[in-house]
Amino acid sequence: MAREFKLPDVGEGVAEGEIVSWLVSEGDTVSEDQPVAEVETDKAVVEVPAPVNGTVRKLHYDAGDVVPVGEVIVTFDVEGEAAEATEPEEEATEEPESASKSATEKASTRTFAPPSVRRLARELDVDLDSVEGTGPSGRVTESDVRAAAEGHATEPQEEPPDEVRSAVEPVGEQAADHTEGGAGGQESAGREKTLAAPATRGLAKELGVDIDDVPATEERDGEAFVTAEAVQEYAEGGTAAQGEPTTGAPEQAFVEGGETTQPYRGVRRSIGEQMAESKYTAPHVTHHDTAVIDDLVETRAKLKERAAEQDVKLTYLPFVMKAVVAGLKEYPILNSELREEEEEIALKQDYNIGVAVATDHGLMVPVVKHVDQKSILDIAEEVNELAAKARDRSISREEMQGGTFTITNFGAVGGEYATPIINYPETAILGLGGIDERPVAEDGEVRAAQTLPLSLSIDHRVIDGAEAARFTNYVMERLTDPELLLLE
């Protein structure tokens, strides 16, 4: 008997998901709870398990399709029950020897890659299963795919179908130009086969150039090889142009750049919606200050080697998190949530610090729970683990929930001050600028000191500017004199 399986709500209130990849094929035998698809929601990539033991009769969507929750994505023939009769056409086209390897074998050997990398692989016509991943846990990165695409450039390209060739071959007067001498009067090569990278062929298509007419820049495996620069030069009639010299400066030719698009959905759309809700709900005010942290730099340098002996990478962030928790205990209003419908402000007694992590899919905020109950090294180890999970998309929803205050370290990329957007419904977020040596005036003298710029954004409906300033001063005091953290 046929059993339809609908896309479940794989998260809290998720409305749709993108089929990143199928882990089974039609005709495969599956067991209950075996993963059949990878689905990207607005939070993460999750595996969707089979609800029954049976055989995959039909996959209703292709990889890359966005499917509303509740839509049928797979039809199974349930084991032990009579399967419904299939259409004659389907029976006629079904080959006995076409049965693929089991889904269990696929699950154990499948390639792990985020959705953006899978889309890039499809665009560059790269088989992901043939690419060796260099990312965390063997994940395939964009660099791996691009490297594989360049590696394929030396392979002979099959002759494209007529409808594709018609899109790249010049027509009308342009075709005559190429036949009689090429762009700008250049000699047309007129080859039957040309080796080129996929990106080069794409450029030729955009410029209306037949790549077989472009003079080759080198030879590979006995065949002519053409670069993107050669295609551009040929299209513009550049320095290699043949024919009679002209008088006066030649007119410069410009090529329109065009545009590319990428989907605004999944994690990226979720980030955008969250940012918009926060910005247009909570009136933001940002308080800026700078902490002098010479002693913190020295302390961290002393402890760094000992941390490394325990296989822990020690950054400044765990010290900042401890200082922030000390400040939240002293000024609990910054560890709060405004519940407008209930007309109340909830002061949180857990100290769960979110850490903004930049990933290929946008900013993600894993949460370190109960920071007040953990040591500096415990915090460092957990931050490193959560950040790695966020970047390779293996992080769970639970690991990104329950935050009461957030820290974002934009200084790791560059910059001193910013206006970070609050991670709503929290009421405050602390931004860290780049640690650097800057001039500091002390006792009438100016000296060079290690400093850390701070940018604290608050929800002004809940937190007053004076409280924000006092909180920042309290945090700065502990960063300037890290021995005070021993009292926390």
Side-chain angles (χ1 to χ4, degrees), residues 53 67 87 98 221 402:
N53 297 323
V67 184
E87 294 294 327
S98 66
D221 297 333

Side-chain angles (χ1 to χ4, degrees), residues 23-43:
L23 308 180
V24 295
S25 300
E26 293 180 358
D28 282 351
T29 300
V30 298
S31 57
E32 186 176 357
D33 293 329
Q34 175 184 320
V36 296
E38 286 184 326
V39 177
E40 181 183 13
T41 70
D42 60 353
K43 294 296 182 184

